[in-house]
């Protein structure tokens, strides 16, 4: 059930993934394999964090961390996934000092090297970048996002979800720095990669189109912004027709753009 839950999550079928993973957790005996129980907890934490529900994510990361500490001790690389997820949830909760302390704890472990720790370190750089971004340290954020993207491209390929998420960070920081042509160029690259997947990574494509629309509007290209938002709306209607709230939001954004206003959320 753990593998099925992870696959459902990978294909953006969040509710099915949640039900499957919760069932897997309930079915595991209390005295069962600690590693399996920790993996289920980590995956549930990541699912809730991806949905921006840190209050629900934190107990799962804490449970996973407690299990892994019992199994391998305080300096093993098997702690990294739970620590990384916990740091992300802390950022979402705006507990930035605790998040930074967690990243520092991870650095002690990743300094040991190896391909697995290299992957975690790349993800950690992306999360550190997000922390800098939230604190409006945009130069540091851009540098960390770019280093993370380069590492993830080498480790996982340019069209992997983690690589694309980091590329969104690069594009969005360019937008915040008013480097609008670079933001549009980067987001367009991201968009093309998301749509090259089978099935396409719609959730990430919507983010790329938001950056394109916002950046186009900021540099006075209202037609470009309208085109990006209409494409975003078309993707929602085609791939997530049951998401009435998202469709209605995009319809409102297109109407506001045509009336002289602009999109407000991603």
């Amino acid at each position: 059930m753990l593998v099925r839950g992870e696959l459902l999550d990978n294909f953006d079928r969040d509710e099915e993934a949640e039900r499957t993973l919760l069932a897997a957790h309930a079915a595991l005996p209390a005295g069962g394999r600690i590693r399996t129980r920790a993996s289920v907890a980590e995956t549930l934490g990541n699912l809730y964090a991806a949905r921006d529900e840190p209050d629900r994510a934190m107990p799962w990361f804490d449970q996973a961390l407690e299990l892994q500490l019992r199994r391998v001790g305080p300096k093993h690389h098997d702690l990294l996934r739970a620590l990384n997820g916990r740091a992300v949830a802390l950022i979402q909760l705006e507990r930035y000092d605790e998040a930074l302390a967690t990243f520092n704890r991870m650095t002690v472990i990743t300094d040991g090297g190896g391909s697995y720790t290299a992957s975690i370190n790349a993800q950690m750089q992306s999360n550190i970048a997000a922390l800098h971004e939230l604190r409006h340290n945009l130069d540091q954020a851009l540098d960390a996002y770019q280093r993370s993207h380069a590492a993830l491209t080498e480790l996982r390929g340019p069209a992997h979800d983690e690589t694309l998420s980091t590329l969104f960070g690069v594009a969005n920081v360019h937008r915040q720095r008013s480097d609008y042509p670079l933001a549009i160029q980067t987001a367009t690259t991201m968009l093309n990669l998301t749509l090259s997947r089978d099935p396409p990574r719609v959730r990430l494509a919507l983010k790329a189109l938001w950056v394109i629309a916002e950046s186009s509007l900021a540099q006075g290209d209202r037609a470009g912004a309208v085109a990006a938002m209409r494409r975003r709306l078309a993707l929602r209607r085609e791939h997530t027709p049951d998401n009435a709230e998202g469709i209605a939001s995009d319809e409102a954004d297109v109407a506001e753009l045509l009336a002289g206003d602009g999109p407000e959320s991603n």
Side-chain angles (χ1 to χ4, degrees):
M1 280 194 287
L2 169 60
V3 173
R4 175 175 168 77
E6 289 176 334
L7 286 172
L8 289 166
D9 185 36
N10 286 338
F11 285 99
D12 294 340
R13 293 165 64 179
D14 293 353
E15 292 184 2
E16 291 177 76
E18 181 182 8
R19 287 196 298 270
T20 301
L21 290 164
L22 287 172
H25 179 265
L28 288 169
R33 291 188 61 192
I34 292 178
R35 187 169 194 165
T36 302
R37 291 164 60 203
S39 293
V40 172
E42 288 163 356
T43 304
L44 276 163
N46 285 326
L47 184 149
Y48 290 126
R51 289 182 358 193
D52 199 17
E53 299 178 25
D55 287 318
R56 301 182 73 183
M58 283 294 288
W60 292 109
F61 288 132
D62 287 342
Q63 181 181 136
L65 189 57
E66 179 184 352
L67 289 166
Q68 296 287 29
L69 281 167
R70 191 190 316 165
R71 188 175 73 87
V72 297
K75 295 184 179 180
H76 196 277
H77 61 71
D78 280 358
L79 298 176
L80 291 171
R81 189 180 181 210
L83 285 169
N84 191 62
R86 193 174 191 280
V88 171
L90 286 167
I91 290 173
Q92 291 172 331
L93 291 166
E94 299 184 7
R95 292 159 59 180
Y96 300 139
D97 290 339
E98 292 176 73
L100 187 57
T102 303
F103 288 135
N104 289 335
R105 182 178 177 184
M106 291 175 66
T107 300
V108 173
I109 300 173
T110 60
D111 282 347
S115 60
Y116 178 75
T117 54
S119 173
I120 290 290
N121 189 57
Q123 296 171 43
M124 182 174 64
Q125 287 299 320
S126 180
N127 293 328
I128 290 172
L131 184 54
H132 283 309
E133 185 179 356
L134 287 166
R135 288 179 158 177
H136 306 290
N137 299 325
L138 296 182
D139 290 343
Q140 295 95 318
L142 181 60
D143 179 67
Y145 274 133
Q146 289 175 329
R147 283 188 282 112
S148 176
H149 180 256
L152 287 169
T153 298
E154 182 175 349
L155 288 165
R156 304 206 185 283
H160 191 275
D161 279 12
E162 290 174 5
T163 314
L164 292 170
S165 293
T166 306
L167 192 57
F168 169 74
V170 174
N172 198 35
V173 170
H174 280 315
R175 179 191 66 81
Q176 292 174 77
R177 286 160 51 99
S178 302
D179 295 332
Y180 301 123
L182 271 176
I184 292 170
Q185 178 184 346
T186 306
T188 300
T189 297
M190 176 188 170
L191 176 65
N192 291 336
L193 287 167
T194 64
L195 298 180
S196 72
R197 296 277 298 275
D198 185 18
R201 309 305 288 148
V202 175
R203 183 163 50 190
L204 292 164
L206 297 178
K207 288 178 172 288
L209 285 164
W210 177 82
V211 170
I212 293 169
E214 284 283 317
S215 300
S216 297
L217 188 63
Q219 64 181 6
D221 179 11
R222 185 169 296 278
V226 170
M229 290 306 297
R230 279 178 167 162
R231 191 173 184 188
R232 178 175 153 121
L233 175 59
L235 279 174
R236 278 205 200 270
R237 285 173 171 166
E238 179 181 358
H239 294 281
T240 57
D242 295 333
N243 185 359
E245 183 179 352
I247 290 171
S249 176
D250 281 355
E251 287 174 339
D253 284 340
V254 171
E256 288 172 3
L257 276 168
L258 292 171
D261 297 321
E264 294 180 353
S265 66
N266 62 352

